[in-house]
Amino acid sequence: MMEQQADEVRDSEQEQFAALLEDSFERVQPRRGEVLEATILSIGDNDMVVDLDGKRDGIVPPKDLDLVDEKYLSDLIVGDTIPVLVMKDSARNEGVTVSLKKGLEQQDWLRAEEYLSSEEVFDAEVIDVNRGGILVEFGRLRGFVPNSHLTSVPSGMQRDRFREAKEELISKDLSLTVIEVNQRRRRLILSERAASRQKREKLLQELAEGDIRTGIVRNVVDFGAFVDLGGVDGLIHISELDWDYVEHPSKVLSVGDEVEVYVLSVDRDRQRIGLSRKRVIPASTVDPSMDAEPEADVEAEAEAKVEETTEVEAEAEVETEVEADVETETEAETEQEAV
């Protein structure tokens, strides 16, 4: 009698243990669409086997590997950790079908979300153009920059010349920031204009009187020269071009020249910077570090204010223009979905 009761208890415990195992298996079963960090167990000629959770293997099929960059694959070894996306549920004793390509893409979508939150500026290579804007490489994804968010191409051109100017950007890097991420619709929208604004604001905060910087001459006018310091323009008044008398700024500088300048003043509220060229030129009788302001020039100030106001107004249009330009992105989205 006692032996029978012991057998019954033992059978009950075994059933409970089996139920616990079954419940544990169901609880950790990889779900379709889930992204997991997997460890490579083996790399074959046509597939790859990965460990998903210490209990199940994942199989990366040949067709998926064919879509992954060859250079990336060649650098992988057994033991490496890679992101994979679960493509198909499996029975308990079968491998789970996973995608390395989509796992890598998911990492890029997450990175895009981080850039959107942080408003970080990054560089991306232009790979193609279409009617609505340009396409850039963003990891394994393609980002779209609408025409109204480009600053590398002047607006107001005729249609054919405008497209040619965009095509000249192919293979070049642009500084961009993320302004929209919609993974469901595979939309990654970027802006060069917003990135320029952020770089300008950062530079204005960093600049200080007495700094010596290198810039590019962007415009030469009667009263001086405007110099791009890397996102924000400063004015070298004609009186600060040289220690000697200067008849006209064009006698000293030309558009496109690289010039070293001394920062005389920084007005962050009005976004205006006073520069001097002569204070970085050796002069035996003058101390180049002396604190002095450029001579006042009403015309110069008016011109600087016009340029700054025009730029600010253009930036104010960023938010309102996004929706209109995004409607022109059909070509970009079609290409993105095909990737």
Side-chain angles (χ1 to χ4, degrees), residues 37-43 48-51 72-84 100:
E37 291 292 321
T39 303
I40 298 176
L41 297 177
S42 67
I43 302 175
M48 182 183 295
V49 180
V50 298
D51 174 33
Y72 176 83
L73 288 176
S74 65
D75 291 337
L76 294 178
I77 60 174
V78 172
D80 283 350
T81 299
I82 57 174
V84 295
L100 173 57

Side-chain angles (χ1 to χ4, degrees), residues 175-215:
S175 292
L176 306 166
T177 190
V178 178
I179 59 174
E180 181 183 343
V181 178
N182 189 326
Q183 185 176 353
R184 183 179 62 82
R185 298 182 61 186
R186 299 187 66 80
R187 285 160 55 101
L188 176 58
I189 312 301
L190 314 173
S191 172
E192 186 183 21
R193 185 177 299 280
S196 297
R197 182 181 66 247
Q198 291 183 37
K199 289 173 66 177
R200 181 169 58 255
E201 292 173 351
K202 181 180 179 181
L203 181 57
L204 279 170
Q205 293 303 315
E206 294 175 347
L207 277 177
E209 295 179 11
D211 285 353
I212 295 178
R213 299 277 181 146
T214 300

Side-chain angles (χ1 to χ4, degrees), residues 219-225 238 241-242 244-254:
N219 194 17
V220 177
V221 292
D222 292 342
F223 49 82
I238 189 171
L241 284 172
D242 203 302
D244 296 327
Y245 171 75
V246 176
E247 181 181 353
H248 191 275
S250 61
K251 301 291 185 180
V252 179
L253 295 174
S254 300

Side-chain angles (χ1 to χ4, degrees), residues 118-131:
S118 66
E119 299 183 344
E120 181 178 345
V121 177
F122 58 92
D123 291 339
E125 181 182 351
V126 179
I127 56 176
D128 202 357
V129 305
N130 61 30
R131 180 168 55 86

Side-chain angles (χ1 to χ4, degrees), residues 35-291:
V35 177
L36 304 172
E37 291 292 321
T39 303
I40 298 176
L41 297 177
S42 67
I43 302 175
D45 294 335
N46 297 315
D47 61 11
M48 182 183 295
V49 180
V50 298
D51 174 33
L52 299 179
D53 54 10
K55 299 176 181 178
R56 294 173 182 78
D57 291 345
I59 309 297
V60 184
K63 289 183 178 180
D64 187 78
L65 292 177
D66 289 341
L67 299 175
V68 180
D69 180 68
E70 292 184 6
K71 177 63 170 60
Y72 176 83
L73 288 176
S74 65
D75 291 337
L76 294 178
I77 60 174
V78 172
D80 283 350
T81 299
I82 57 174
V84 295
L85 183 139
V86 178
M87 299 294 293
K88 184 179 180 181
D89 299 335
S90 68
R92 183 183 306 180
N93 296 324
E94 295 177 356
V96 180
T97 302
V98 296
S99 170
L100 173 57
K101 176 182 179 295
K102 292 186 178 297
L104 292 170
E105 285 185 356
Q106 183 64 26
Q107 279 191 335
D108 291 329
W109 283 114
L110 293 175
R111 184 162 60 97
E113 291 281 3
E114 292 174 359
Y115 280 152
L116 179 64
S117 299
S118 66
E119 299 183 344
E120 181 178 345
V121 177
F122 58 92
D123 291 339
E125 181 182 351
V126 179
I127 56 176
D128 202 357
V129 305
N130 61 30
R131 180 168 55 86
I134 65 172
L135 299 172
V136 301
E137 188 176 64
F138 188 89
R140 284 89 183 168
L141 307 176
R142 286 187 171 190
F144 179 69
V145 185
N147 288 331
S148 67
H149 285 264
L150 283 172
T151 58
S152 294
V153 180
S155 59
M157 291 182 175
Q158 293 184 350
R159 180 180 299 178
D160 292 343
R161 180 66 190 100
F162 187 68
R163 184 178 181 89
E164 290 175 1
K166 290 193 296 183
E167 290 175 344
E168 291 172 2
L169 296 176
I170 294 177
S171 298
K172 294 182 179 180
D173 287 346
L174 298 183
S175 292
L176 306 166
T177 190
V178 178
I179 59 174
E180 181 183 343
V181 178
N182 189 326
Q183 185 176 353
R184 183 179 62 82
R185 298 182 61 186
R186 299 187 66 80
R187 285 160 55 101
L188 176 58
I189 312 301
L190 314 173
S191 172
E192 186 183 21
R193 185 177 299 280
S196 297
R197 182 181 66 247
Q198 291 183 37
K199 289 173 66 177
R200 181 169 58 255
E201 292 173 351
K202 181 180 179 181
L203 181 57
L204 279 170
Q205 293 303 315
E206 294 175 347
L207 277 177
E209 295 179 11
D211 285 353
I212 295 178
R213 299 277 181 146
T214 300
I216 303 296
V217 178
R218 295 303 185 196
N219 194 17
V220 177
V221 292
D222 292 342
F223 49 82
F226 289 95
V227 177
D228 181 2
L229 298 178
V232 62
D233 285 353
L235 172 65
I236 307 176
H237 188 263
I238 189 171
S239 64
E240 291 292 333
L241 284 172
D242 203 302
W243 293 110
D244 296 327
Y245 171 75
V246 176
E247 181 181 353
H248 191 275
S250 61
K251 301 291 185 180
V252 179
L253 295 174
S254 300
V255 173
D257 285 351
E258 184 176 271
V259 59
E260 191 173 46
V261 294
Y262 179 92
V263 179
L264 287 170
S265 61
V266 180
D267 186 337
R268 293 182 175 83
D269 293 334
R270 300 165 72 185
Q271 296 190 1
R272 286 162 59 178
I273 302 166
L275 305 174
S276 172
R277 173 180 174 271
K278 73 181 185 181
R279 294 172 194 274
V280 295
I281 301 175
S284 58
T285 59
V286 182
D287 181 4
S289 65
M290 63 182 290
D291 184 16

